[in-house]
Amino acid sequence: KVIWTLLVPILGYASSLPVGDDSLCTAEDLAKYSIIFTGKWSQTAFPKQYPLYRPPAQWSSLLGVTHSSDYSMWKKNEYASNGVRDFAEKGEAWVLMKEIEEAGEKIQSVHGIFSAPAISSGTGQTSTELEVHPRHPLVSFVVRIVPSPDWFVGIDSLNLCEGDHWVEEVSVDLFPYDAGTDSGFTFSSPNFATIPQDTVTEITCSSPSHPANSFYYPKLKILPPIAQVTMVKIKKSQLGLPAPYLNVQAKRNEITDTVS
């Protein structure tokens, strides 16, 4: 009876842990990664209303954080913070940086902040390095789609730890998200605040279901990826050397001419 009494609260706690919780990470102390962001936003892949000037299609700088499960930069179907709103709408990072720093100070949920330069066209690459810790093995980041009302791509809490080791390499296809703070339908829509604020939602070829939507391709089943991110673990012998600049070739994801 005594043993069962002790087991019940322990089992109850275990069942409440999120899948892939960072407390289960028993990897070596630290790991460094090269992170390469590849834009795939071409006129061939996304011909509808493709921005050619004032401004042409491009990507903002990448802003990311390594953290524990106690912190969340953004989540699908939840409300964007003021910092994410400012970044998604205007590319301004000050409020988001302050939110990250406050989370790190209050609950020590943040290990480090990283950033990569902007890309001046819809296709291209940018890269930087990041560091993860067994208590902070999760990676989140945002990159603004420019121009757009409040659209962005990013990753929410990707765990780079698998039990007792760090993942060697991982690549993720990225798709557009709406921050839920601006009601514009097209890349060049004027500022029109969403009141009340909506949650962060994924933009698909059929949602929002409106012909004016710049990503509305009703004949497609899914949108081709608009970007991709690759994270490669840096071997200890490579520490201190420049980050490898991988030439990750964009896979063919063009929409066929008949659909266009």
Side-chain angles (χ1 to χ4, degrees):
K1 287 183 179 178
V2 174
I3 294 172
W4 178 247
T5 304
L6 290 170
L7 276 174
V8 167
I10 293 171
L11 290 172
Y13 170 73
S15 65
S16 68
L17 286 174
V19 176
D21 185 78
D22 44 75
S23 63
L24 302 177
C25 180
T26 57
E28 57 191 271
D29 284 347
L30 294 170
K32 285 193 174 184
Y33 284 82
S34 173
I35 176 170
I36 304 98
F37 176 87
T38 304
K40 296 186 174 185
W41 185 20
S42 67
Q43 188 174 11
T44 309
F46 298 91
K48 186 177 180 182
Q49 301 168 359
Y50 189 80
L52 295 172
Y53 57 92
R54 296 184 182 179
Q58 57 191 277
W59 300 96
S60 77
S61 57
L62 179 152
L63 180 61
V65 60
T66 56
H67 59 96
S68 69
S69 58
D70 295 322
Y71 172 78
S72 173
M73 177 180 263
W74 66 276
K75 280 193 179 298
K76 184 179 177 181
N77 299 327
E78 293 188 8
Y79 294 104
S81 68
N82 290 336
V84 170
R85 177 199 65 203
D86 286 357
F87 192 86
E89 288 188 14
K90 299 173 282 188
E92 295 177 358
W94 300 111
V95 177
L96 182 53
M97 289 281 287
K98 188 176 180 182
E99 290 173 354
I100 294 170
E101 289 169 2
E102 287 177 351
E105 290 171 0
K106 286 180 181 178
I107 51 180
Q108 298 182 335
S109 56
V110 171
H111 179 71
I113 300 173
F114 58 93
S115 64
I119 303 173
S120 59
S121 61
T123 59
Q125 288 185 333
T126 187
S127 65
T128 187
E129 291 183 2
L130 62 88
E131 185 179 80
V132 282
H133 184 274
R135 292 195 302 275
H136 305 89
L138 308 180
V139 175
S140 296
F141 71 81
V142 287
V143 182
R144 179 176 183 248
I145 298 173
V146 184
S148 75
D150 61 340
W151 302 341
F152 69 96
V153 298
I155 276 182
D156 165 35
S157 304
L158 176 68
N159 196 342
L160 294 180
C161 183
E162 289 185 345
D164 62 352
H165 66 278
W166 296 105
V167 175
E168 290 296 325
E169 182 176 340
V170 60
S171 290
V172 181
D173 286 334
L174 304 176
F175 299 89
Y177 280 90
D178 187 319
T181 61
D182 192 297
S183 296
F185 267 127
T186 67
F187 296 120
S188 56
S189 292
N191 185 35
F192 184 61
T194 302
I195 303 175
Q197 181 177 334
D198 204 352
T199 57
V200 174
T201 56
E202 184 176 351
I203 301 171
T204 70
C205 55
S206 58
S207 177
S209 181
H210 194 290
N213 179 24
S214 292
F215 286 111
Y216 186 66
Y217 294 97
K219 294 185 179 180
L220 294 182
K221 291 184 179 180
I222 59 170
L223 284 175
I226 196 170
Q228 184 184 61
V229 66
T230 300
M231 282 170 260
V232 182
K233 186 171 178 285
I234 300 172
K235 293 180 173 60
K236 288 187 176 181
S237 59
Q238 293 176 321
L239 294 179
L241 297 176
Y245 194 70
L246 300 187
N247 184 17
V248 182
Q249 293 294 330
K251 296 177 183 176
R252 292 191 62 83
N253 62 353
E254 287 82 4
I255 295 168
T256 59
D257 291 336
T258 52
V259 174
S260 302

